[in-house]
Amino acid sequence: SGRQMSGGDSPNAPRILVIRGGAIGDFVLTLPAIVALRNRFPNVDLEILGYPRIATLALESGLVKAVHALESPGLAAFFTPNGAYDLEWREFFSKYEMAVSYLYDPDGIFEENVKSCGVLQFIACQHRPDETKAIHASEVFLKPLEQLTIFDGDPVARLAIEPEESADPQLALHPGSGSDSKNWPEEKWRELIEYLIGNTSHRLLLVGGEAEGGKLQRLAKGMPEDRLELAEHVPLNRLAKRLANCRGYVGHDSGVTHIASALGLPTLVLWGPSRGTIWRPLGEKVLVLNRENLLSELSVENVIDGLNSLGV
């Protein structure tokens, strides 16, 4: 085939497909690789095959042209040997010159099936970092792009999303995460909220989803409504717009925390047991508290000091 990796934003512009499953944090930490591809091939149509509720962040940010759903039933066959027989998906993959895949594919079965559709170049990337090595996830996800002479990718995840207009920027608080072991105790969050309402003029935005259960309701109980607002179960692209308008953010090791730091907010991370060298958000305005010892030993004073040092 004579298709080349150049050209303009025309109907025949070459196309690159980035394939990325995983959780919110995994996706945000892959943004540096997407940005590096965008910079290396400015005239290419970059698209994502992933989970639309998460990958929409890259669309809103103007990094990619389209997002396609990885959960589609027809794709399942591509994970079995010689399984690339779904005609719609064969036609889908045939439109791309290159695929950059972060899917777990230890035997290369998915790769072989996609290549059989006519994809000229397939770059297989690690789906998650090796926890025994102290290399940051974003660096791990950038590394395979060296095959494309991309050596200078910025490992800081960045999202440029238009903020949702609101009268007064709030301080966002996200008291949950995917695991209780990563969470600061609920009574300390309660103390922090009481302190902020009593001693600052901040309006607070309390963020949460399924994982938080009734925690947000309990924390908001008895607090003045003009000072504290709940953002529960808000779709990620809308939540990102809300956060983009905030003056700062406090949260745990979670996907929402990665979004806040990628938006450039002053971000205070109350870090739990995960390996900070690999998973922490990078960024000029990120402060990670308590990477060495128990999260429960972190005091409200430590958190207030952290906010002050971030200028929030």
Side-chain angles (χ1 to χ4, degrees):
S1 158
R3 295 180 292 179
Q4 295 297 311
M5 292 301 301
S6 63
D9 193 19
S10 67
N12 302 319
R15 293 164 79 178
I16 296 178
L17 185 66
V18 177
I19 308 169
R20 185 43 156 150
I24 299 166
D26 301 320
F27 184 81
V28 175
L29 291 169
T30 312
L31 285 172
I34 294 171
V35 170
L37 284 166
R38 167 86 288 144
N39 294 341
R40 173 74 177 79
F41 302 111
N43 301 319
V44 158
D45 285 348
L46 199 55
E47 301 180 19
I48 293 177
L49 177 60
Y51 299 126
R53 71 178 196 89
I54 300 174
T56 308
L57 292 169
L59 198 59
E60 294 267 353
S61 216
L63 288 174
V64 298
K65 191 154 187 185
V67 167
H68 309 277
L70 188 57
E71 306 96 317
S72 310
L75 257 185
F78 277 75
F79 292 90
T80 57
N82 309 312
Y85 43 69
D86 183 292
L87 290 177
E88 274 180 57
W89 278 104
R90 285 195 70 81
E91 190 184 344
F92 172 82
F93 286 119
S94 74
K95 295 185 169 90
Y96 299 93
E97 276 71 16
M98 183 193 297
V100 178
S101 174
Y102 291 91
L103 293 187
Y104 180 62
D105 183 30
D107 304 317
I109 291 168
F110 178 77
E111 176 177 349
E112 282 311 309
N113 282 326
V114 169
K115 288 204 284 212
S116 79
C117 302
V119 174
L120 301 178
Q121 190 169 10
F122 188 103
I123 296 181
C125 310
Q126 254 175 276
H127 78 296
R128 59 180 295 124
D130 175 348
E131 295 266 350
T132 63
K133 300 192 172 85
I135 303 169
H136 193 271
S138 288
E139 301 276 10
V140 172
F141 300 148
L142 276 163
K143 184 83 179 148
L145 304 186
E146 290 180 359
Q147 299 170 50
L148 302 169
T149 64
I150 296 173
F151 297 102
D152 54 353
D154 174 5
V156 178
R158 299 181 198 280
L159 281 168
I161 287 178
E162 281 301 305
E164 189 173 278
E165 290 309 313
S166 98
D168 179 16
Q170 297 157 305
L171 173 62
L173 307 175
H174 178 38
S177 72
S179 150
D180 273 347
S181 67
K182 297 178 178 183
N183 293 352
W184 199 38
E186 189 174 324
E187 60 275 15
K188 299 229 175 150
W189 276 103
R190 175 91 190 177
E191 248 181 276
L192 175 66
I193 291 168
E194 285 171 351
Y195 176 90
L196 291 168
I197 285 176
N199 299 278
T200 73
S201 58
H202 292 317
R203 286 177 63 243
L204 307 177
L205 182 69
L206 206 51
V207 176
E210 318 277 307
E212 280 68 61
K215 188 185 278 189
L216 296 198
Q217 309 295 339
R218 291 193 298 273
L219 288 173
K221 201 175 171 144
M223 299 292 177
E225 285 181 18
D226 60 327
R227 294 289 303 281
L228 184 100
E229 188 186 345
L230 295 188
E232 277 194 291
H233 311 301
V234 180
L236 273 189
N237 56 335
R238 280 209 25 237
L239 181 61
K241 286 177 178 297
R242 291 293 299 274
L243 289 174
N245 195 45
C246 286
R247 61 172 66 222
Y249 174 94
V250 185
H252 302 126
D253 166 19
S254 73
V256 178
T257 298
H258 280 286
I259 291 172
S261 70
L263 288 166
L265 297 187
T267 300
L268 186 64
V269 194
L270 315 183
W271 196 266
S274 322
R275 292 201 57 186
T277 43
I278 298 175
W279 294 111
R280 68 193 173 88
L282 303 174
E284 295 79 5
K285 300 179 191 168
V286 177
L287 178 60
V288 177
L289 289 185
N290 192 53
R291 271 185 275 170
E292 306 311 322
N293 49 22
L294 286 168
L295 194 52
S296 56
E297 289 174 15
L298 201 61
S299 71
V300 172
E301 288 72 30
N302 297 148
V303 175
I304 301 300
D305 290 346
L307 282 170
N308 290 336
S309 70
L310 282 168
V312 176

